[in-house]
Amino acid sequence: MPEAPAMHIDKGLDNTIIGESRKSFIDGQAGILEYVGIDIDDLARTSTFEEVVFLLWNDRLPTAAELESFETELRAEYSLSSEMVGMLKSIPHDASPMHVLRSMVSSLALEDPECNDQSLESERRKAIRVLSKTPAIIAGFDRCRRGLELIDPDPSLNMATNFLWMLNGEMPGEASARAIDVCLILHADHGINASTFAAMVTIATQSDMYSALTSAVGTLRGPLHGGANERVMHMLQSIGGHDEVESFVMNSLENKTRIMGFGHRVYKALDPRAKYLKTFAEQIAEETGNTDLYVLSTRIQDIMDREVGAKGIYPNVDFYSATTYFSLGLAIDLFTPVFAMSRNAGWAAHSLEQHQDNRLIRPRCQYMGEHGVEYVHIDKR
Ligand code: ACO
């Protein structure tokens, strides 16, 4: 019998590198995030979400012609079939949008004749379908529950603009559309985070892209991961006024209650996404008359810096994205679905990478139970 390899416990996998990747680089100590080597700040300032998706899926920036052709490919998949629209309409209106999204992403496989084709090209086409249809699912469900007619997607628009168009039924201003575009860029990828890992574990069993992305949506919704942005907003609303901020933060820290939107497993410096989002949140808050909310957020940050900054607890991407989404008029329970809309890009990038150089992901646990326990018949227990 071969000798069992040496094992060690790494609860939470904090210190385990699970493989090689060319997608994103994170330096948690220095507060650096790069997609395929390009600084996130440069991408947020000058790129578009579509270009970032191409970058993550191809490990290089596209030429103008390649970008145009990729955008055409994405836009051709914007709309939902009448069966999917029917399904959306039949969902209870009080369902949570992340549950709706997870179910709908899973359902997209049902109408795809390629769903069992495991070729790389087919998995890539599935990723395009999910990425392109997610905005219609989120906007469509929101309109259904508000009792409004669904708006058809407009393939002449980029993904961010088209999302706001389908959500609100009116053409967004340039600033709002760009704000969503920037948020999509900033959330597109982040190494092997929990939801990306879930997608990779799924695709590594030689399952399929729909199953991988469904696993990822379910994983993202937890409050310790993508669900934190909604919790941030509820927290801000619960504080009351500026005078209450100090006591709120101090009481929370004393009671060991986590301040949502702060802290990160990897970043022990300011999350580089939060740096740019903070500037953005201020701008959008001013433009939409939500300055109060922004000031409240900065006050929390000041107190957190003073109290726990030395421990490496800083705002993460969720803290200022909450203010931005709220200022743009998004319902609070759509914040995490919008995160998913963007992270589809990273989930698919890592799943495709895994698919190309696959190994079943199968960790072990340390068994702590008893051995040789007698089976007692049910009548005798
Ligand atoms: N508020 C107050 N204290 C905090 C916070 C916070 N948000 N986050 C961590 N701490 C403290 C912990 O209480 C702990 O203190 P102690 O050493 O005195 O016991 C210390 O910092 C280390 O905390 P850990 O739980 O070990 O850190 P971990 O790496 O597991 O946590 C996490 C990361 C889960 C993100 C955590 O910071 C948290 O719960 N934050 C709030 C939720 C949140 O914003 N999540 C979004 C993350 S970003 C994303 O997923 C997109």
Side-chain angles (χ1 to χ4, degrees), residues 247-258:
S247 58
F248 172 81
V249 176
M250 295 310 288
N251 286 339
S252 302
L253 292 178
E254 215 171 286
N255 299 329
K256 295 243 167 238
T257 307
R258 301 212 163 182

Side-chain angles (χ1 to χ4, degrees), residues 233-248:
M233 205 54 233
H234 290 303
M235 179 185 78
L236 293 176
Q237 287 179 329
S238 76
I239 292 177
H242 294 247
D243 295 342
E244 271 80 54
V245 177
E246 177 86 26
S247 58
F248 172 81

Side-chain angles (χ1 to χ4, degrees), residues 148-376:
L148 300 170
E149 282 300 311
L150 267 61
I151 307 282
D152 286 335
D154 181 342
S156 72
L157 303 173
N158 70 12
M159 211 170 273
T161 315
N162 181 50
F163 171 63
L164 290 175
W165 158 245
M166 290 188 293
L167 188 70
N168 301 322
E170 56 189 50
M171 210 43 81
E174 220 172 282
S176 302
R178 181 61 188 154
I180 292 288
D181 199 30
V182 169
C183 286
L184 295 181
I185 293 170
L186 291 173
H187 288 84
D189 193 35
H190 206 235
I192 310 301
N193 54 87
S195 52
T196 302
F197 187 52
M200 289 168 65
V201 169
T202 306
I203 205 98
T205 67
Q206 292 186 349
S207 183
D208 65 290
M209 189 60 83
Y210 293 112
S211 302
L213 298 177
T214 303
S215 302
V217 176
T219 308
L220 184 72
R221 69 171 286 273
L224 295 189
H225 192 13
N229 55 15
E230 298 181 13
R231 299 279 188 106
V232 169
M233 205 54 233
H234 290 303
M235 179 185 78
L236 293 176
Q237 287 179 329
S238 76
I239 292 177
H242 294 247
D243 295 342
E244 271 80 54
V245 177
E246 177 86 26
S247 58
F248 172 81
V249 176
M250 295 310 288
N251 286 339
S252 302
L253 292 178
E254 215 171 286
N255 299 329
K256 295 243 167 238
T257 307
R258 301 212 163 182
I259 305 288
M260 286 292 128
F262 280 81
H264 199 278
R265 175 59 61 84
V266 180
Y267 292 120
K268 300 305 167 197
L270 181 63
D271 183 331
R273 303 164 296 176
K275 195 167 41 178
Y276 190 62
L277 263 173
K278 184 176 178 182
T279 318
F280 222 71
E282 181 175 20
Q283 198 183 318
I284 299 293
E286 263 171 27
E287 277 171 24
T288 55
N290 284 291
T291 318
D292 237 33
L293 198 61
Y294 173 76
V295 174
L296 193 76
S297 307
T298 56
R299 183 81 194 101
I300 296 176
Q301 188 186 347
D302 290 344
I303 300 169
M304 286 294 278
D305 280 353
R306 186 189 74 206
E307 295 298 322
V308 291
K311 279 172 79 176
I313 301 170
Y314 294 102
N316 58 47
V317 67
D318 288 323
F319 191 61
Y320 285 105
S321 62
T323 316
T324 306
Y325 292 148
F326 189 80
S327 301
L328 287 171
L330 256 66
I332 296 174
D333 60 3
L334 295 189
F335 292 5
T336 317
V338 172
F339 187 162
M341 191 165 119
S342 160
R343 188 56 63 84
N344 271 324
W347 292 332
H350 287 273
S351 297
L352 293 170
E353 198 175 42
Q354 178 74 28
H355 186 282
Q356 283 168 284
D357 182 20
N358 193 38
R359 180 168 170 80
L360 179 73
I361 299 172
R362 197 338 186 156
R364 300 200 206 171
C365 62
Q366 181 74 54
Y367 176 67
M368 302 298 285
E370 296 172 57
H371 296 282
V373 178
E374 185 194 352
Y375 176 80
V376 179

